[in-house]
Amino acid sequence: NLSLGSNQLTMQPLQIHLPAEAIGSLSPMLSALAPEGKLRLNSEAFTIRRSKSQWLHQGQITAFWQPAIFLNDIEAGNYQVQLRGNDTPTLSGELATLSGKLELQGKLQLNERNELRMDGRVRLAPGAESSKLQPVFRAMCGNGLNECFLGAH
């Protein structure tokens, strides 16, 4: 169900399927990794409304990226992102790994310019050190270890 007003769009319930290539525009690092796979966005109710000079978000969206593929054919895993807006221009939430050899977890922020920031951990699962995931992992973590922290850590 979609409700459109002069300054507001409400979607309830929301279920959208998108190609994962769409997230490449959220971050230069993601763009360089050429994301592929399928994104599924779900929400019970989500509202975007215009207030003065900014767009405000209200509600929660859960996104599933299954499978997450990088650099044309490297499958990294399956991930879930929960983003919430509380009548704010920024969406905040969490990223979690559902399964896979590239483990991602942390906090996310999507600002009003559609720029994504992650504060969290990137880790190779045990046994994945010699896998074809190495180019993806090294692009995220150039420290030579099997784990790194992104953002404010």
Side-chain angles (χ1 to χ4, degrees):
N1 187 359
L2 204 60
S3 172
L4 183 60
S6 62
N7 289 319
Q8 181 170 304
L9 172 66
T10 300
M11 301 161 277
Q12 56 183 14
L14 168 70
Q15 187 169 70
I16 299 174
H17 296 264
L18 298 169
E21 290 87 347
I23 65 171
S25 65
L26 301 177
S27 134
M29 179 180 64
L30 281 174
S31 179
L33 291 171
E36 295 179 38
K38 297 177 184 174
L39 286 176
R40 187 179 82 231
L41 307 175
N42 298 324
S43 180
E44 292 299 315
F46 193 76
T47 300
I48 303 169
R49 71 178 180 85
R50 186 82 173 158
S51 176
K52 299 182 183 174
S53 64
Q54 57 188 329
W55 291 99
L56 304 178
H57 308 91
Q58 179 69 43
Q60 177 173 304
I61 293 178
T62 302
F64 297 94
W65 186 5
Q66 299 173 309
I69 299 169
F70 295 104
L71 301 174
N72 297 320
D73 67 345
I74 301 173
E75 189 170 323
N78 297 302
Y79 305 99
Q80 176 181 315
V81 173
Q82 291 189 335
L83 291 172
R84 288 174 294 288
N86 192 18
D87 214 26
T88 59
T90 300
L91 293 171
S92 299
E94 295 82 35
L95 166 66
T97 301
L98 300 174
S99 64
K101 294 186 183 250
L102 184 65
E103 298 175 356
L104 306 172
Q105 88 177 56
K107 302 222 178 279
L108 299 173
Q109 275 198 328
L110 184 63
N111 69 23
E112 61 273 8
R113 294 179 304 279
N114 284 332
E115 298 167 331
L116 183 67
R117 175 184 168 91
M118 177 182 166
D119 291 320
R121 184 180 79 168
V122 179
R123 179 176 172 262
L124 282 175
E129 296 84 5
S130 62
S131 75
K132 65 181 191 172
L133 274 169
Q134 281 295 328
V136 175
F137 180 74
R138 294 292 169 236
M140 293 180 181
C141 301
N143 64 8
L145 303 174
N146 289 331
E147 176 177 20
C148 73
F149 292 93
L150 301 177
H153 287 60

